[in-house]
Amino acid sequence: MRFATLLLAAALFAPMPGLQAKTVLKDCVIYVPDKAPASVRLAGVVMQKYVKAATGNELEIVNKPAKKMIALGDSPEMRMAGINAPALKDEELRILTKDGSLYIAGKDYPGDRNTPYGGKSFGTLYGTYEFLDRYMGIRFLLPVLDTKGSGMKTLKKRNHIPEQPSDFAVDKIDFTYRPRITQRKSWTPYGTEMYLPNHEISAIPYGFAHSWGDLYPAKGNKKYAYLKDREQTFQEHPEYFQMAPNGQRIAPQTRSDLFSLCLSNPDVLKDVAERVLLYAEKTGNRIIAITPNDATPTCSCKNCQASVEHFTEEEAGPTENRGGFESWTPLVLNYYKTVSESVQKKRPDLILTGSFYYKYEFPPKNGRKIIMPGNFSPNFWLLHTSYGPVRYYDPLNANYHRWIKRWMEYFPNSTKGYGKYDFWYRHGNGMLPPAVKYLEEIRQNILKYNFTGARFEPSGSVGSVPDGWICARLAWNPDIPVETLYTDWLESSFGKEAAPHVRKIYDLIEAGFKKHVDDHKGFVGYNMNADLMADGYGAHWPEIEACYKKALKAKKNKFQQWRLENSFGLALRLTGYHVRCMNLGKVTKDSPLYLDDEGIAEINERRTLSTQDLWGVLPYTSVWSVSPGNFRPVTGTDVSGKIPCAKEFRSASWFHSEDFVILADRDGVAELKLEWETNPDPFTGKKYRPEIPYFTAYDGKTVKTISSGCMADNGAIRFRMKKGQTILLNYLPLYEYRSGARWRIVSMNMPYAMGHSRQPSGLYINDMKEPMYFRIKEGTKQFELTLHRGGFDVDFVSPDGKVAKHVAGSEYCPVRIENPAAGWWMVRPGKKRTSCFIRQGKGMSGYFVYDPNHAFDAECLKK
C-alpha cells in the first residue's frame, strides 16, 4: 500500500524528464485566440510569468497560431490537434503535446459567463495551473507575509518555483481531468492568489447560507426589495415567527439574522417555497440554500415543541457537549422535505440545499427513514463532534464517524456537501497544527460516501498554512493522500532538509493539544484558550525553539530561507509573544523567536481591515457595526472629574463583543484598563487561565482603522487621540466558553459610552450589580427596549427618579414607555439576579453609560 502511495506521489508531483522531450518550451510562443474569454487571456499571462520564473525564458503571447506554440483555449488549431473544448463537460480540462507544441484547453464559456448553476468553468485556466504544477513542479503556496509588489522575487517568495534548465522540455502528454467535487469552497482571506491557483472557484457554487436573511430580508434592503421584508411580514403574520415561553411572538430584528421562523406552521413552509421561487426568478440562481438561521429554530409553541426529540448522554455518545441534547431534526427534515417538494413541482431545475448542524445534526431518534426529494442536497456540519480540536479524543472521534455513517443512510443517492470545521479554531493566538491524520479521515469519507460538495474552513492562522493548502488541494482533487500533500508542502516551502524540523514543531504542538483534549475527555470548545496554549506551546517551547534553530541551519534555497524566517518564523514569534505575555513559558530576548512590544506594535499597524496580509496571524475583530453611514460623531457633555467604571464583571464571548464610543476631552493617550476572572476547570480544580483579548479602534468620521491588536491579561488598551476626536472601539474579549471568562472595566481616562452592535443591539449583562443609563431626546413620543435570553429583574427609572416600569422574567419581554421625559433614564437591578440581553429599540443610540454626569450622548444614523 505504501509503495502504491509513493508511485502515486511520483506520478502527480515529479516533473517529467526533459532528456527525451519532444516539446521544448523556449521554442514556443503562447497562442491565445483573439476574443478569448478573460480567463483564457489570464492563462496566457500566468503561463508566461511562471515559465520565465522557472526557466528564464519570456515567451511571447500572440493571437495567431504558430508552428511551435503553447496553444490555450478553444481554436480551430486546438480542434485539429484533437481537443474539442466546447464538447467537454464543465471544468473538464485536457493537456496534450503534439508535433512539438503544447495544447491546453478546457470547458470555457464565452465571456466567462456563469454555468447554468451560477458557477464558473475555468477549464483552460485551471489546465494551465495544472500543467505548471504537475509537469514543472511549481507549488502555489498560500501568500506569505511581508511580500509587497509583483516582481519576480515576490513571486518566488509566495510560490515554490524550481529552477529548470533554459531548454526545459516535456515528453508526450495526454492528460484529462475533471474534478469530482463540483461544489468547492475553501475559506481563506487571501483572495484570488489562493482561489485560482488552487482551483477553488467551481462550476456550481457551494450551496451554503447560514440564515434566512436573503429570503426574509431586512427592511430597506434594496437588493431583495422584491421580497416582503421581515418587519412587514411580522406585522401581517406574527404567527410565522417564533414564540417565546411567555406566549409572545418575537419580532425579527433589522440588524441581525438571528430570528427564528415557526417551522410547525404549514403556512410558513408555503411562504418559504414561494420566496424561493421568486428569489430564483429574480436572481437567476438555480441553487438556493434554505438553512435556518444560526442557533435556530427556537420556537416555544406547542406544535414545534412536540417535534423536539431529547437525547441522553448515553444515546448521543461522546460529544463536546456533555449535557445531553434536544434535537430539532424531525421538524427541520420535514421543513426541508416539504419546501423542496413544493418547489420541485414548479421548478424541477432548482437545487435546494440545507445544512444539518447544531440543533438538528442528530439523525431522527426513531431511525425512521425519510425519503427526500431529488432536488434537495444536504450539507453536513457536525458541531458537537468536529468543531475545534475535540476529535483528538479517540472515543469522540469514533462517535463522529458513527454519526456520518448514520446520516449517509438517509441520502444514499443525493448530491451531498461536507462542511469541514474540523480542527477549526475561532482565533489563533499561535501556530496551529494541521491535524493530518484527521484530514486523511475526512478525505476518505469524501471518497467513501461520494461527496460532490466540500466547504473547507481551515484555521486562518498563517502559521497553519499546511491546513489551508491541504484543504484547497483536497477540494480540487481528493484522490491524493493527505500525507503526500503535507510532505509536499513542507519540502516545497522550506526545503527537504529543513522540512523534518518544521514537521517536528507541528508534531510537538499537536501532541500538546491532544494531551489537553484527552485530559478533558473532549470537553473543550473551538475557541483557542489559554490552557490549551499552555499544553500545546508552553510545555514544549524549549523543544520548539531548538527545532526552529535546526531548521534555520538546514540547507535550502534563499526563498525557502526567507519563508522560514519571515512567514513561518513570524507566526512562531507571535506564538512566542503570547507564550511570554500569558506566562505560559520562558522566551528570552536572545531567542530568534522573541518579539517585543515594539515589534507587536509594528505588526498591529499593518493589521487593518484594508490590508489583509495579517488576517489569521492575529484575530480580526468584528466589523458588523462599522460601515460608513451607520455611525456619526457624538456630542459631548461635561466630562470633568473622575470617569466612572464598572464594578461588575461582564461575560466574555466572541459573540458578545462590545463597542465603546470614546470622546477625547484633550490631546493624549486614551487608556482603557480591564480585569478578568474565570471559572474553575472541572478536570483540574484550578481556575482557567485568562485570555488575551483583541481590539480595533476606528475613527468616528472616516470609519478607518487607527489601531488594532491584543493586550495581555489584566492589561490595558492604549492609543493616541486628539481633542474632540471620536473613536469607535470594538473590543473582542475572546475566550474558550468553558472558562466562563468575565471582564470588567477598572479605569478609563476619557469619556465613553458602551454598546453592542451584534445581535441584539445593546448589551449582554452578566449578573448585573449596578445601574446603567441611557439618554432619551426631547420630543420622543415613545421608546422601546427588549430584554431576553436569560433572567431579569430591573426597574426603569425616569429622570425625575420615579419607577416607570418594573420588569421581571426569563425570556423575551419588550418594554414600551409612552411620552417619556427627556434626559437620562436608569436601568436599575432588583433583588433577583439579572443576566440577559438588553436591546434598545429604533431611534435610540444603542449605547449605555454608568454615570450621566461624566458621560456623553452617542447617536447612530438611522439604519
Side-chain angles (χ1 to χ4, degrees):
M1 187 67 182
R2 177 170 174 76
F3 180 68
T5 300
L6 292 174
L7 286 178
L8 175 60
L12 290 174
F13 295 124
M16 297 293 288
L19 294 178
Q20 300 176 358
K22 296 179 180 179
T23 303
V24 182
L25 297 192
K26 74 173 184 176
D27 295 340
C28 298
V29 296
I30 300 173
Y31 168 44
V32 178
D34 192 27
K35 297 183 181 180
S39 64
V40 178
R41 297 197 300 273
L42 176 59
V45 174
V46 168
M47 180 66 79
Q48 182 187 57
K49 180 167 58 175
Y50 283 98
V51 168
K52 180 180 179 181
T55 69
N57 300 313
E58 185 167 0
L59 308 184
E60 184 182 4
I61 299 176
V62 300
N63 297 122
K64 293 182 179 180
K67 185 176 181 180
K68 302 287 186 181
M69 61 181 176
I70 300 175
L72 301 176
D74 183 44
S75 66
E77 294 73 24
M78 187 69 67
R79 299 190 190 197
M80 288 177 63
I83 302 177
N84 184 2
L88 297 175
K89 296 181 180 179
D90 283 348
E91 293 198 286
E92 191 171 8
L93 60 90
R94 182 108 180 263
I95 304 174
L96 177 71
T97 55
K98 188 174 182 180
D99 299 330
S101 289
L102 171 65
Y103 297 86
I104 302 175
K107 182 62 175 286
D108 304 311
Y109 283 77
D112 284 329
R113 71 169 186 258
N114 288 347
T115 65
Y117 279 90
K120 294 293 184 181
S121 181
F122 292 142
T124 298
L125 178 60
Y126 286 175
T128 301
Y129 282 123
E130 193 74 9
F131 171 81
L132 295 170
D133 180 293
R134 185 177 292 265
Y135 299 104
M136 297 193 72
I138 295 171
R139 297 292 176 265
F140 303 99
L141 307 173
L142 285 179
V144 292
L145 304 181
D146 295 325
T147 53
K148 297 179 180 179
S150 57
M152 197 57 66
K153 286 186 178 180
T154 297
L155 193 71
K156 291 186 177 182
K157 287 176 181 178
R158 291 184 181 276
N159 305 284
H160 174 58
I161 306 176
E163 291 187 9
Q164 303 289 2
S166 175
D167 60 349
F168 176 81
V170 290
D171 205 347
K172 182 179 180 180
I173 302 173
D174 189 351
F175 173 77
T176 302
Y177 181 72
R178 183 178 183 233
R180 71 168 71 214
I181 298 179
T182 56
Q183 302 177 56
R184 301 186 301 279
K185 180 65 177 175
S186 183
W187 182 89
T188 172
Y190 301 108
T192 56
E193 292 187 55
M194 175 65 184
Y195 287 127
L196 289 175
N198 291 289
H199 316 147
E200 293 182 7
I201 298 175
S202 56
I204 304 176
Y206 189 87
F208 170 77
H210 219 355
S211 79
W212 283 306
D214 289 352
L215 296 177
Y216 289 83
K219 185 177 182 179
N221 188 326
K222 296 180 180 179
K223 184 178 180 181
Y224 302 113
Y226 53 85
L227 291 168
K228 188 178 294 184
D229 64 63
R230 64 185 71 151
E231 290 88 347
Q232 184 180 351
T233 304
F234 181 80
Q235 290 175 5
E236 296 176 3
H237 295 285
E239 73 277 8
Y240 283 12
F241 295 85
Q242 73 186 90
M243 179 184 286
N246 61 7
Q248 289 182 287
R249 294 286 176 176
I250 302 178
Q253 299 169 39
T254 300
R255 297 183 63 194
S256 171
D257 288 345
L258 293 184
F259 61 89
S260 181
L261 297 175
C262 177
L263 294 184
S264 64
N265 184 339
D267 291 336
V268 170
L269 309 192
K270 292 178 183 177
D271 190 53
V272 173
E274 290 172 0
R275 288 171 182 262
V276 166
L277 291 169
L278 186 56
Y279 180 87
E281 176 188 341
K282 295 293 185 180
T283 64
N285 290 2
R286 293 172 64 183
I287 180 166
I288 300 170
I290 58 173
T291 303
N293 288 336
D294 198 3
T296 69
T298 53
C299 185
S300 296
C301 78
K302 291 182 179 179
N303 290 334
C304 283
Q305 290 296 315
S307 297
V308 176
E309 296 180 331
H310 296 274
F311 281 74
T312 65
E313 183 175 342
E314 290 73 22
E315 290 171 329
T319 63
E320 185 274 331
N321 186 338
R322 306 296 292 177
F325 298 90
E326 61 175 25
S327 172
W328 293 68
T329 298
L331 190 67
V332 174
L333 261 176
N334 179 68
Y335 156 68
Y336 286 156
K337 182 176 187 293
T338 304
V339 172
S340 298
E341 287 175 341
S342 178
V343 169
Q344 190 178 47
K345 292 176 182 177
K346 296 182 178 180
R347 287 288 304 272
D349 60 316
L350 298 183
I351 295 176
L352 273 59
T353 69
S355 297
F356 290 95
Y357 159 79
Y358 189 27
K359 290 188 173 184
Y360 42 94
E361 68 180 60
F362 286 97
K365 190 172 180 178
N366 59 14
R368 180 170 60 92
K369 301 298 185 293
I370 298 175
I371 306 301
M372 299 296 287
N375 66 332
F376 178 76
S377 179
N379 294 318
F380 296 93
W381 303 73
L382 302 184
L383 171 68
H384 295 300
T385 60
S386 69
Y387 278 36
V390 297
R391 284 181 56 200
Y392 281 129
Y393 185 52
D394 292 340
L396 195 150
N397 187 47
N399 196 32
Y400 156 83
H401 287 287
R402 181 175 69 93
W403 283 14
I404 287 282
K405 182 178 179 181
R406 286 180 60 198
W407 265 123
M408 293 307 102
E409 295 172 0
Y410 285 79
F411 302 98
N413 302 313
S414 301
T415 59
K416 297 178 284 288
Y418 183 84
K420 186 265 179 193
Y421 264 94
D422 310 74
F423 297 91
W424 174 81
Y425 302 79
R426 177 151 280 151
H427 58 103
N429 302 9
M431 183 82 68
L432 299 174
V436 170
K437 171 183 180 294
Y438 304 90
L439 278 177
E440 175 62 21
E441 292 178 5
I442 292 170
R443 184 188 77 87
Q444 292 178 12
N445 279 339
I446 287 174
L447 298 177
K448 180 179 180 180
Y449 299 119
N450 193 31
F451 281 95
T452 56
R455 181 182 173 98
F456 289 98
E457 297 282 341
S459 300
S461 171
V462 170
S464 66
V465 287
D467 180 24
W469 191 80
I470 291 168
C471 286
R473 301 294 296 232
L474 286 180
W476 173 249
N477 185 359
D479 292 322
I480 306 173
V482 172
E483 175 58 36
T484 301
L485 293 171
Y486 184 38
T487 300
D488 185 47
W489 181 85
L490 288 168
E491 294 181 354
S492 297
S493 298
F494 311 114
K496 289 186 177 182
E497 291 189 16
H501 304 300
V502 175
R503 180 191 286 261
K504 180 64 174 177
I505 291 172
Y506 285 123
D507 288 347
L508 288 167
I509 296 170
E510 186 166 76
F513 279 23
K514 180 165 173 47
K515 178 184 182 302
H516 179 88
V517 175
D518 283 343
D519 289 347
H520 288 75
K521 301 186 186 305
F523 193 72
V524 296
Y526 47 87
N527 295 315
M528 177 67 74
N529 69 82
D531 291 277
L532 179 62
M533 293 171 66
D535 288 337
Y537 309 133
H540 300 287
W541 194 255
E543 296 171 89
I544 289 171
E545 185 175 306
C547 289
Y548 182 67
K549 289 179 179 178
K550 291 178 182 178
L552 287 174
K553 294 179 180 179
K555 182 181 178 181
K556 64 187 79 66
N557 68 39
K558 61 181 180 181
F559 299 108
Q560 292 167 334
Q561 183 74 20
W562 189 94
R563 264 178 235 124
L564 185 67
E565 293 179 359
N566 295 284
S567 180
F568 183 83
L570 177 57
L572 264 185
R573 287 192 292 278
L574 282 163
T575 304
Y577 176 81
H578 291 110
V579 167
R580 178 172 62 85
C581 290
M582 299 171 74
N583 299 314
L584 306 180
K586 188 175 182 181
V587 186
T588 60
K589 290 185 178 181
D590 60 348
S591 169
L593 298 178
Y594 182 84
L595 186 65
D596 59 19
D597 290 340
E598 289 185 3
I600 199 73
E602 181 181 349
I603 291 170
N604 287 337
E605 285 295 319
R606 293 164 44 213
R607 183 180 168 269
T608 66
L609 296 175
S610 57
T611 58
Q612 300 176 1
D613 64 329
L614 282 170
W615 274 30
V617 179
L618 294 175
Y620 52 90
T621 56
S622 161
V623 294
W624 286 299
S625 65
V626 185
S627 60
N630 79 344
F631 177 76
R632 67 184 178 189
V634 297
T635 56
T637 63
D638 178 19
V639 295
S640 59
K642 181 183 177 183
I643 303 299
C645 297
K647 298 175 184 177
E648 66 180 65
F649 281 93
R650 307 179 66 79
S651 177
S653 166
W654 186 82
F655 287 111
H656 303 155
S657 59
E658 307 292 354
D659 295 313
F660 293 86
V661 181
I662 302 170
L663 176 68
D665 59 339
R666 63 189 183 281
D667 291 348
V669 177
E671 180 181 81
L672 174 65
K673 289 186 177 180
L674 300 153
E675 186 177 65
W676 285 70
E677 71 172 11
T678 58
N679 291 336
D681 181 335
F683 291 90
T684 66
K686 300 178 181 178
K687 282 192 172 184
Y688 285 98
R689 291 176 171 86
E691 313 302 324
I692 290 189
Y694 291 83
F695 68 91
T696 302
Y698 308 91
D699 183 85
K701 289 184 178 180
T702 64
V703 202
K704 291 183 178 178
T705 302
I706 65 166
S707 181
S708 62
C710 60
M711 47 175 284
D713 60 297
N714 297 338
I717 297 173
R718 300 182 182 91
F719 48 87
R720 289 193 172 277
M721 296 183 69
K722 294 182 179 180
K723 185 176 181 179
Q725 184 182 20
T726 302
I727 296 296
L728 191 146
L729 174 70
N730 182 261
Y731 170 59
L732 194 65
L734 296 168
Y735 84 127
E736 201 292 299
Y737 57 89
R738 296 297 181 193
S739 72
R742 298 170 295 279
W743 60 277
R744 72 180 181 94
I745 303 169
V746 176
S747 65
M748 177 66 195
N749 68 345
M750 290 189 181
Y752 71 96
M754 186 165 58
H756 178 239
S757 60
R758 180 72 164 130
Q759 165 70 16
S761 179
L763 290 175
Y764 180 79
I765 301 171
N766 182 68
D767 199 11
M768 187 178 185
K769 293 183 175 68
E770 60 190 287
M772 300 187 304
Y773 298 82
F774 58 94
R775 188 174 181 273
I776 296 300
K777 296 182 292 185
E778 291 281 354
T780 301
K781 294 182 179 180
Q782 70 172 30
F783 70 81
E784 182 178 291
L785 294 94
T786 305
L787 297 96
H788 67 144
R789 292 193 182 184
F792 37 86
D793 176 20
V794 296
D795 290 325
F796 288 90
V797 183
S798 65
D800 61 6
K802 296 180 180 179
V803 176
K805 194 91 170 181
H806 174 77
V807 180
S810 62
E811 193 41 72
Y812 180 76
C813 181
V815 177
R816 184 177 291 109
I817 306 292
E818 303 287 345
N819 300 313
W824 291 96
W825 283 66
M826 179 195 299
V827 184
R828 184 174 63 194
K831 295 180 180 180
K832 295 181 180 179
R833 184 172 184 264
T834 292
S835 294
C836 67
F837 283 115
I838 178 168
R839 174 171 61 91
Q840 296 185 17
K842 293 180 181 179
M844 301 177 70
S845 70
Y847 293 93
F848 294 86
V849 301
Y850 287 108
D851 183 350
N853 295 318
H854 300 90
F856 63 95
D857 185 18
E859 293 182 359
C860 291
L861 293 179
K862 292 182 179 179
K863 308 301 181 288

